[in-house]
């Protein structure tokens, strides 16, 4: 049971966001975020602008299929969650309704936004990477960095 290592940084970034017009604070937060080494070998892309969750690049192209959405739904159940589908696939905790993760396929690589302070975030990130990994990706679709 582990939160993401980035949880303390994200909490600090949220707490010290300061006024909207504070350029110096913005630059310091950007520097700290850029210096973060990532999680489980996945680069930290930044923090979601609307959700405030850290965003990590998946090491492969993500294309939604019937197979991987069913696998995502099975994974969600293991985390006492369910999947909602909109522009992104979201994992929501069934008892609390809190969004635990959002998975994006809009870019040349998949992106996972994850609630850093969730008690099982590290395990969920690992399991999302494994579950969504295309088993038979055409050559050239594998990526190690964005």
């Amino acid at each position: 049971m582990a939160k993401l290592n980035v949880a303390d940084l994200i909490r600090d970034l949220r707490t010290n966001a300061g006024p909207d017009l504070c350029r110096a604070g913005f630059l310091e937060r950007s520097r700290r975020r850029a210096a973060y080494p990532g999680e489980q070998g996945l680069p930290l892309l930044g923090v979601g602008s609307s959700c405030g969750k850290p965003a990590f690049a998946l090491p492969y192209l993500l294309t939604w299929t019937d197979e991987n959405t069913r696998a995502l739904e099975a994974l969600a159940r293991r985390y006492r969650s369910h999947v909602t589908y909109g522009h992104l696939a979201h994992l929501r905790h069934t008892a609390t309704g809190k969004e635990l993760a959002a998975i994006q396929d809009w870019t040349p690589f998949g992106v996972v936004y994850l609630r850093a302070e969730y008690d099982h975030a590290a395990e969920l990130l690992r399991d999302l990477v494994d579950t969504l990994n295309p088993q038979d990706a055409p050559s050239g679709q594998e990526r190690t960095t964005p």
Side-chain angles (χ1 to χ4, degrees), residues 2 5 10 16 34 39 43-44 48-51 66 79 86 94 100 103-104 117 120 126:
N5 293 327
I10 297 299
N16 295 310
E39 282 298 319
L44 175 67
S49 60
S50 63
C51 64
D66 185 61
Y79 284 88
T94 302
L100 302 178
I103 304 99
Q104 176 185 24
E117 63 276 7
H120 301 281
R126 179 201 61 222

Side-chain angles (χ1 to χ4, degrees), residues 31-102:
R31 183 199 62 74
R32 292 181 60 212
R33 188 182 63 239
Y36 189 77
E39 282 298 319
Q40 300 180 26
L42 303 177
L44 175 67
L45 297 174
V47 179
S49 60
S50 63
C51 64
K53 292 178 186 65
F56 300 97
L58 293 172
Y60 44 77
L61 175 67
L62 176 62
T63 302
W64 291 117
T65 64
D66 185 61
E67 182 180 75
N68 66 12
T69 54
R70 289 179 187 275
L72 180 63
E73 290 169 4
L75 176 64
R77 287 190 293 274
R78 288 183 22 217
Y79 284 88
R80 297 187 175 115
S81 301
H82 61 277
V83 179
T84 59
Y85 298 101
H87 294 292
L88 307 177
H90 295 84
L91 270 69
R92 294 195 176 277
H93 193 269
T94 302
T96 66
K98 278 190 176 182
E99 182 180 292
L100 302 178

Side-chain angles (χ1 to χ4, degrees), residues 1-2 4 39-40 42 56 58-60 75 78-79 112 114 120-133:
M1 191 163 82
L4 292 180
E39 282 298 319
Q40 300 180 26
L42 303 177
F56 300 97
L58 293 172
Y60 44 77
L75 176 64
R78 288 183 22 217
Y79 284 88
V112 172
L114 196 60
H120 301 281
E123 296 94 328
L124 179 56
L125 181 60
R126 179 201 61 222
D127 291 346
L128 282 167
V129 170
D130 291 344
T131 298
L132 298 174
N133 189 6

